[in-house]
Amino acid sequence: MTRTTMQTNKTMYSFHQITTTMLLIVTRVVAAQAQEETTSQAARENSKPFYLRDIQITDTLTLPFSPVTVFVMLLSAVMISGIFSAPKSSATASHILLDGKDAQDKLEKMKKDIKGDYTKFQNLAKTFSKCPSGMAEGGRLGVFTPGMMVPAFDKAIFSKENNIGEVIGPIQTSFGWHLIWIEERKLVE
């Protein structure tokens, strides 16, 4: 070998060694940065409150949304289903409740005395009704939908045959005998 060939080989060897060393350094730097990024990302994820973190099922399976996201989606679904549900019938009514053997007869007499006068109905409810709503509110039950009251009461309230603003009854339920006054009613077919 000539001296020039040896120098060329030495230079190539040095060039190869330098290139390999630089490649090794760059690889290590990139790996360290990736490790640091992964570590900082994990630290950032762990610093979040649990309800903002992604849902982790197992060590390898993580769902890409948080419990808060799930809650908001469920709440939205419930609200949207309420928007698209069919409207329901509703009514506002008052009643006088009596119990005992002569309750039906007493209510028949009261019905004759009321004669379509809602104020008289309220006064009689405050005076004689056994229901707490009678004493405080003049028998007023508020707004309700079908199924919220006992069946006989519901049937009387939501029957098209019974008119708004008239005394209905006496009607017997498991609570006793009732006179009913329908104040308002919306029937949905």
Side-chain angles (χ1 to χ4, degrees):
M1 259 202 220
T2 63
R3 194 169 207 210
T4 312
T5 309
M6 283 177 63
Q7 279 183 333
T8 307
N9 283 342
K10 209 174 191 183
T11 308
M12 289 184 87
Y13 177 73
S14 295
F15 179 75
H16 178 71
Q17 192 175 21
I18 292 170
T19 307
T20 306
T21 306
M22 286 181 67
L23 187 60
L24 184 62
I25 291 171
V26 168
T27 305
R28 286 184 179 172
V29 168
V30 169
Q33 285 176 342
Q35 178 67 28
E36 184 178 308
E37 187 176 308
T38 304
T39 305
S40 68
Q41 189 176 11
R44 205 171 29 246
E45 185 68 24
N46 288 335
S47 70
K48 292 181 185 176
F50 77 93
Y51 51 86
L52 295 177
R53 292 183 204 154
D54 290 347
I55 299 172
Q56 188 167 0
I57 305 298
T58 65
D59 289 340
T60 58
L61 179 62
T62 302
L63 301 178
F65 40 84
S66 68
V68 170
T69 306
V70 172
F71 176 75
V72 168
M73 288 188 311
L74 289 174
L75 185 61
S76 299
V78 168
M79 291 175 70
I80 288 172
S81 69
I83 291 170
F84 296 112
S85 66
K88 294 182 179 180
S89 297
S90 65
T92 304
S94 299
H95 76 133
I96 300 171
L97 171 65
L98 297 180
D99 55 359
K101 296 177 186 175
D102 60 343
Q104 185 177 6
D105 295 332
K106 286 181 183 178
L107 289 174
E108 287 288 353
K109 289 177 187 172
M110 286 182 194
K111 184 176 180 178
K112 289 177 185 173
D113 289 344
I114 293 169
K115 295 180 187 173
D117 185 357
Y118 184 58
T119 306
K120 277 187 183 179
F121 184 93
Q122 287 180 312
N123 289 333
L124 288 170
K126 287 178 184 176
T127 307
F128 297 105
S129 185
K130 302 295 181 189
C131 181
S133 69
M135 295 172 211
E137 305 268 338
R140 188 175 174 113
L141 297 168
V143 178
F144 52 91
T145 58
M148 290 178 69
M149 302 293 179
V150 292
F153 202 91
D154 258 3
K155 186 177 179 184
I157 296 287
F158 294 104
S159 172
K160 290 180 184 178
E161 297 164 4
N162 295 326
N163 296 322
I164 297 170
E166 293 181 4
V167 180
I168 302 166
I171 294 170
Q172 187 176 21
T173 68
S174 56
F175 297 103
W177 288 89
H178 303 262
L179 280 183
I180 302 170
W181 185 286
I182 303 173
E183 300 170 40
E184 187 179 319
R185 178 177 60 203
K186 293 177 188 169
L187 295 176
V188 178
E189 311 258 338

